[in-house]
mmCIF file of all heavy atoms in Angstrom:
data_model
loop_
_atom_site.group_PDB
_atom_site.id
_atom_site.type_symbol
_atom_site.label_atom_id
_atom_site.label_comp_id
_atom_site.label_asym_id
_atom_site.label_seq_id
_atom_site.Cartn_x
_atom_site.Cartn_y
_atom_site.Cartn_z
ATOM 1 N N SER A 51 7.840 -3.965 -5.688
ATOM 2 C CA SER A 51 7.433 -4.154 -7.080
ATOM 3 C C SER A 51 7.391 -5.619 -7.490
ATOM 4 O O SER A 51 6.585 -6.003 -8.325
ATOM 5 C CB SER A 51 8.361 -3.383 -8.007
ATOM 6 O OG SER A 51 9.687 -3.845 -7.858
ATOM 7 N N THR A 52 8.247 -6.447 -6.934
ATOM 8 C CA THR A 52 8.295 -7.852 -7.334
ATOM 9 C C THR A 52 8.278 -8.764 -6.106
ATOM 10 O O THR A 52 9.262 -9.454 -5.825
ATOM 11 C CB THR A 52 9.567 -8.137 -8.154
ATOM 12 O OG1 THR A 52 10.700 -7.721 -7.386
ATOM 13 C CG2 THR A 52 9.551 -7.402 -9.464
ATOM 14 N N PRO A 53 7.164 -8.789 -5.380
ATOM 15 C CA PRO A 53 7.108 -9.682 -4.224
ATOM 16 C C PRO A 53 7.028 -11.137 -4.671
ATOM 17 O O PRO A 53 6.540 -11.441 -5.765
ATOM 18 C CB PRO A 53 5.827 -9.265 -3.513
ATOM 19 C CG PRO A 53 4.977 -8.727 -4.597
ATOM 20 C CD PRO A 53 5.918 -8.069 -5.567
ATOM 21 N N ARG A 54 7.515 -12.031 -3.826
ATOM 22 C CA ARG A 54 7.475 -13.459 -4.152
ATOM 23 C C ARG A 54 6.032 -13.942 -4.262
ATOM 24 O O ARG A 54 5.682 -14.682 -5.168
ATOM 25 C CB ARG A 54 8.216 -14.246 -3.086
ATOM 26 C CG ARG A 54 8.304 -15.719 -3.412
ATOM 27 C CD ARG A 54 9.184 -16.438 -2.454
ATOM 28 N NE ARG A 54 10.557 -15.993 -2.681
ATOM 29 C CZ ARG A 54 11.618 -16.560 -2.152
ATOM 30 N NH1 ARG A 54 11.463 -17.586 -1.351
ATOM 31 N NH2 ARG A 54 12.817 -16.113 -2.396
ATOM 32 N N VAL A 55 5.196 -13.524 -3.314
ATOM 33 C CA VAL A 55 3.774 -13.892 -3.338
ATOM 34 C C VAL A 55 2.971 -12.584 -3.266
ATOM 35 O O VAL A 55 2.800 -12.019 -2.188
ATOM 36 C CB VAL A 55 3.412 -14.813 -2.152
ATOM 37 C CG1 VAL A 55 1.948 -15.223 -2.216
ATOM 38 C CG2 VAL A 55 4.313 -16.029 -2.120
ATOM 39 N N PRO A 56 2.488 -12.083 -4.391
ATOM 40 C CA PRO A 56 1.773 -10.805 -4.404
ATOM 41 C C PRO A 56 0.531 -10.790 -3.510
ATOM 42 O O PRO A 56 0.203 -9.750 -2.925
ATOM 43 C CB PRO A 56 1.373 -10.621 -5.869
ATOM 44 C CG PRO A 56 2.270 -11.502 -6.636
ATOM 45 C CD PRO A 56 2.634 -12.634 -5.733
ATOM 46 N N GLU A 57 -0.137 -11.917 -3.376
ATOM 47 C CA GLU A 57 -1.331 -11.980 -2.535
ATOM 48 C C GLU A 57 -0.991 -11.710 -1.068
ATOM 49 O O GLU A 57 -1.790 -11.122 -0.341
ATOM 50 C CB GLU A 57 -2.028 -13.335 -2.681
ATOM 51 C CG GLU A 57 -2.657 -13.556 -4.037
ATOM 52 C CD GLU A 57 -1.650 -13.920 -5.132
ATOM 53 O OE1 GLU A 57 -0.492 -14.274 -4.813
ATOM 54 O OE2 GLU A 57 -2.029 -13.832 -6.309
ATOM 55 N N ASP A 58 0.184 -12.169 -0.614
ATOM 56 C CA ASP A 58 0.609 -11.903 0.768
ATOM 57 C C ASP A 58 0.885 -10.420 0.973
ATOM 58 O O ASP A 58 0.535 -9.852 2.012
ATOM 59 C CB ASP A 58 1.861 -12.708 1.114
ATOM 60 C CG ASP A 58 1.581 -14.191 1.273
ATOM 61 O OD1 ASP A 58 0.392 -14.573 1.316
ATOM 62 O OD2 ASP A 58 2.561 -14.962 1.341
ATOM 63 N N ASN A 59 1.501 -9.785 -0.004
ATOM 64 C CA ASN A 59 1.773 -8.353 0.104
ATOM 65 C C ASN A 59 0.465 -7.569 0.096
ATOM 66 O O ASN A 59 0.311 -6.599 0.844
ATOM 67 C CB ASN A 59 2.676 -7.907 -1.053
ATOM 68 C CG ASN A 59 3.423 -6.633 -0.755
ATOM 69 O OD1 ASN A 59 2.922 -5.759 -0.066
ATOM 70 N ND2 ASN A 59 4.611 -6.517 -1.304
ATOM 71 N N ALA A 60 -0.503 -7.995 -0.712
ATOM 72 C CA ALA A 60 -1.816 -7.348 -0.738
ATOM 73 C C ALA A 60 -2.517 -7.516 0.609
ATOM 74 O O ALA A 60 -3.133 -6.577 1.126
ATOM 75 C CB ALA A 60 -2.667 -7.932 -1.858
ATOM 76 N N ARG A 61 -2.405 -8.709 1.200
ATOM 77 C CA ARG A 61 -3.000 -8.950 2.525
ATOM 78 C C ARG A 61 -2.360 -8.054 3.571
ATOM 79 O O ARG A 61 -3.041 -7.500 4.438
ATOM 80 C CB ARG A 61 -2.814 -10.419 2.913
ATOM 81 C CG ARG A 61 -3.381 -10.773 4.276
ATOM 82 C CD ARG A 61 -2.952 -12.173 4.614
ATOM 83 N NE ARG A 61 -1.541 -12.320 4.258
ATOM 84 C CZ ARG A 61 -0.584 -12.662 5.111
ATOM 85 N NH1 ARG A 61 -0.866 -12.941 6.340
ATOM 86 N NH2 ARG A 61 0.655 -12.760 4.728
ATOM 87 N N ASP A 62 -1.036 -7.858 3.487
ATOM 88 C CA ASP A 62 -0.333 -6.987 4.431
ATOM 89 C C ASP A 62 -0.785 -5.533 4.301
ATOM 90 O O ASP A 62 -0.876 -4.818 5.295
ATOM 91 C CB ASP A 62 1.178 -7.085 4.226
ATOM 92 C CG ASP A 62 1.735 -8.435 4.622
ATOM 93 O OD1 ASP A 62 1.048 -9.172 5.364
ATOM 94 O OD2 ASP A 62 2.863 -8.754 4.191
ATOM 95 N N ILE A 63 -1.066 -5.090 3.091
ATOM 96 C CA ILE A 63 -1.556 -3.727 2.883
ATOM 97 C C ILE A 63 -2.932 -3.566 3.515
ATOM 98 O O ILE A 63 -3.208 -2.576 4.196
ATOM 99 C CB ILE A 63 -1.595 -3.389 1.376
ATOM 100 C CG1 ILE A 63 -0.167 -3.309 0.833
ATOM 101 C CG2 ILE A 63 -2.343 -2.082 1.124
ATOM 102 C CD1 ILE A 63 -0.074 -3.252 -0.675
ATOM 103 N N ARG A 64 -3.797 -4.570 3.325
ATOM 104 C CA ARG A 64 -5.132 -4.519 3.933
ATOM 105 C C ARG A 64 -5.041 -4.570 5.460
ATOM 106 O O ARG A 64 -5.796 -3.890 6.160
ATOM 107 C CB ARG A 64 -5.976 -5.667 3.415
ATOM 108 C CG ARG A 64 -6.373 -5.505 1.976
ATOM 109 C CD ARG A 64 -7.273 -6.638 1.507
ATOM 110 N NE ARG A 64 -7.615 -6.476 0.112
ATOM 111 C CZ ARG A 64 -7.067 -7.180 -0.873
ATOM 112 N NH1 ARG A 64 -6.179 -8.123 -0.620
ATOM 113 N NH2 ARG A 64 -7.427 -6.964 -2.118
ATOM 114 N N LEU A 65 -4.118 -5.360 5.988
ATOM 115 C CA LEU A 65 -3.922 -5.441 7.435
ATOM 116 C C LEU A 65 -3.416 -4.108 7.984
ATOM 117 O O LEU A 65 -3.869 -3.645 9.031
ATOM 118 C CB LEU A 65 -2.934 -6.562 7.761
ATOM 119 C CG LEU A 65 -2.693 -6.870 9.226
ATOM 120 C CD1 LEU A 65 -3.977 -7.316 9.907
ATOM 121 C CD2 LEU A 65 -1.632 -7.941 9.360
ATOM 122 N N PHE A 66 -2.494 -3.473 7.272
ATOM 123 C CA PHE A 66 -2.000 -2.154 7.653
ATOM 124 C C PHE A 66 -3.157 -1.157 7.716
ATOM 125 O O PHE A 66 -3.273 -0.384 8.667
ATOM 126 C CB PHE A 66 -0.942 -1.686 6.643
ATOM 127 C CG PHE A 66 -0.445 -0.292 6.858
ATOM 128 C CD1 PHE A 66 0.523 -0.023 7.804
ATOM 129 C CD2 PHE A 66 -0.938 0.763 6.105
ATOM 130 C CE1 PHE A 66 0.990 1.264 8.007
ATOM 131 C CE2 PHE A 66 -0.489 2.051 6.296
ATOM 132 C CZ PHE A 66 0.485 2.304 7.248
ATOM 133 N N ALA A 67 -4.030 -1.205 6.718
ATOM 134 C CA ALA A 67 -5.173 -0.285 6.678
ATOM 135 C C ALA A 67 -6.140 -0.557 7.822
ATOM 136 O O ALA A 67 -6.663 0.380 8.433
ATOM 137 C CB ALA A 67 -5.890 -0.397 5.337
ATOM 138 N N SER A 68 -6.368 -1.818 8.136
ATOM 139 C CA SER A 68 -7.305 -2.135 9.222
ATOM 140 C C SER A 68 -6.753 -1.750 10.594
ATOM 141 O O SER A 68 -7.513 -1.433 11.500
ATOM 142 C CB SER A 68 -7.667 -3.616 9.194
ATOM 143 O OG SER A 68 -6.564 -4.408 9.584
ATOM 144 N N ARG A 69 -5.447 -1.738 10.742
ATOM 145 C CA ARG A 69 -4.836 -1.347 12.021
ATOM 146 C C ARG A 69 -4.779 0.165 12.192
ATOM 147 O O ARG A 69 -4.495 0.643 13.282
ATOM 148 C CB ARG A 69 -3.430 -1.922 12.122
ATOM 149 C CG ARG A 69 -3.431 -3.402 12.326
ATOM 150 C CD ARG A 69 -2.045 -3.927 12.498
ATOM 151 N NE ARG A 69 -2.086 -5.362 12.757
ATOM 152 C CZ ARG A 69 -1.051 -6.155 12.681
ATOM 153 N NH1 ARG A 69 0.136 -5.670 12.348
ATOM 154 N NH2 ARG A 69 -1.164 -7.429 12.930
ATOM 155 N N HIS A 70 -5.021 0.897 11.127
ATOM 156 C CA HIS A 70 -4.947 2.361 11.186
ATOM 157 C C HIS A 70 -6.328 2.965 10.982
ATOM 158 O O HIS A 70 -6.532 3.807 10.117
ATOM 159 C CB HIS A 70 -3.948 2.875 10.140
ATOM 160 C CG HIS A 70 -2.540 2.575 10.507
ATOM 161 N ND1 HIS A 70 -1.788 3.408 11.280
ATOM 162 C CD2 HIS A 70 -1.764 1.498 10.257
ATOM 163 C CE1 HIS A 70 -0.594 2.878 11.461
ATOM 164 N NE2 HIS A 70 -0.563 1.698 10.854
ATOM 165 N N GLN A 71 -7.263 2.528 11.797
ATOM 166 C CA GLN A 71 -8.624 3.063 11.784
ATOM 167 C C GLN A 71 -8.716 4.187 12.811
ATOM 168 O O GLN A 71 -9.311 4.035 13.861
ATOM 169 C CB GLN A 71 -9.640 1.949 12.112
ATOM 170 C CG GLN A 71 -9.631 0.795 11.159
ATOM 171 C CD GLN A 71 -10.222 1.153 9.820
ATOM 172 O OE1 GLN A 71 -11.031 2.064 9.690
ATOM 173 N NE2 GLN A 71 -9.794 0.432 8.797
ATOM 174 N N HIS A 72 -8.116 5.326 12.516
ATOM 175 C CA HIS A 72 -8.122 6.456 13.442
ATOM 176 C C HIS A 72 -9.469 7.166 13.375
ATOM 177 O O HIS A 72 -10.061 7.304 12.313
ATOM 178 C CB HIS A 72 -7.002 7.441 13.087
ATOM 179 C CG HIS A 72 -5.648 6.807 13.076
ATOM 180 N ND1 HIS A 72 -5.038 6.365 14.221
ATOM 181 C CD2 HIS A 72 -4.805 6.518 12.068
ATOM 182 C CE1 HIS A 72 -3.851 5.850 13.914
ATOM 183 N NE2 HIS A 72 -3.691 5.922 12.607
ATOM 184 N N ARG A 73 -9.899 7.641 14.521
ATOM 185 C CA ARG A 73 -11.152 8.393 14.564
ATOM 186 C C ARG A 73 -10.942 9.772 13.969
ATOM 187 O O ARG A 73 -9.928 10.414 14.182
ATOM 188 C CB ARG A 73 -11.632 8.550 16.010
ATOM 189 C CG ARG A 73 -12.295 7.323 16.537
ATOM 190 C CD ARG A 73 -12.974 7.620 17.822
ATOM 191 N NE ARG A 73 -11.997 7.321 18.875
ATOM 192 C CZ ARG A 73 -12.171 7.591 20.142
ATOM 193 N NH1 ARG A 73 -13.249 8.186 20.546
ATOM 194 N NH2 ARG A 73 -11.265 7.274 21.022
ATOM 195 N N GLN A 74 -11.959 10.237 13.248
ATOM 196 C CA GLN A 74 -11.913 11.586 12.696
ATOM 197 C C GLN A 74 -12.301 12.547 13.812
ATOM 198 O O GLN A 74 -13.363 12.471 14.389
ATOM 199 C CB GLN A 74 -12.895 11.726 11.530
ATOM 200 C CG GLN A 74 -12.576 10.819 10.369
ATOM 201 C CD GLN A 74 -11.276 11.199 9.689
ATOM 202 O OE1 GLN A 74 -10.884 12.348 9.712
ATOM 203 N NE2 GLN A 74 -10.625 10.226 9.106
ATOM 204 N N GLU A 75 -11.413 13.454 14.153
ATOM 205 C CA GLU A 75 -11.662 14.426 15.228
ATOM 206 C C GLU A 75 -12.283 15.673 14.667
ATOM 207 O O GLU A 75 -11.990 16.161 13.665
ATOM 208 C CB GLU A 75 -10.353 14.781 15.936
ATOM 209 C CG GLU A 75 -9.694 13.574 16.566
ATOM 210 C CD GLU A 75 -10.366 13.078 17.817
ATOM 211 O OE1 GLU A 75 -10.961 13.909 18.532
ATOM 212 O OE2 GLU A 75 -10.337 11.882 18.079
#
Side-chain angles (χ1 to χ4, degrees):
S51 60
T52 55
R54 184 172 291 191
V55 182
E57 292 77 14
D58 288 349
N59 202 326
R61 179 188 44 122
D62 292 342
I63 292 169
R64 289 183 181 103
L65 185 61
F66 175 81
S68 70
R69 288 183 177 165
H70 288 272
Q71 300 288 335
H72 303 291
R73 281 191 268 172
Q74 298 293 332
E75 300 286 330

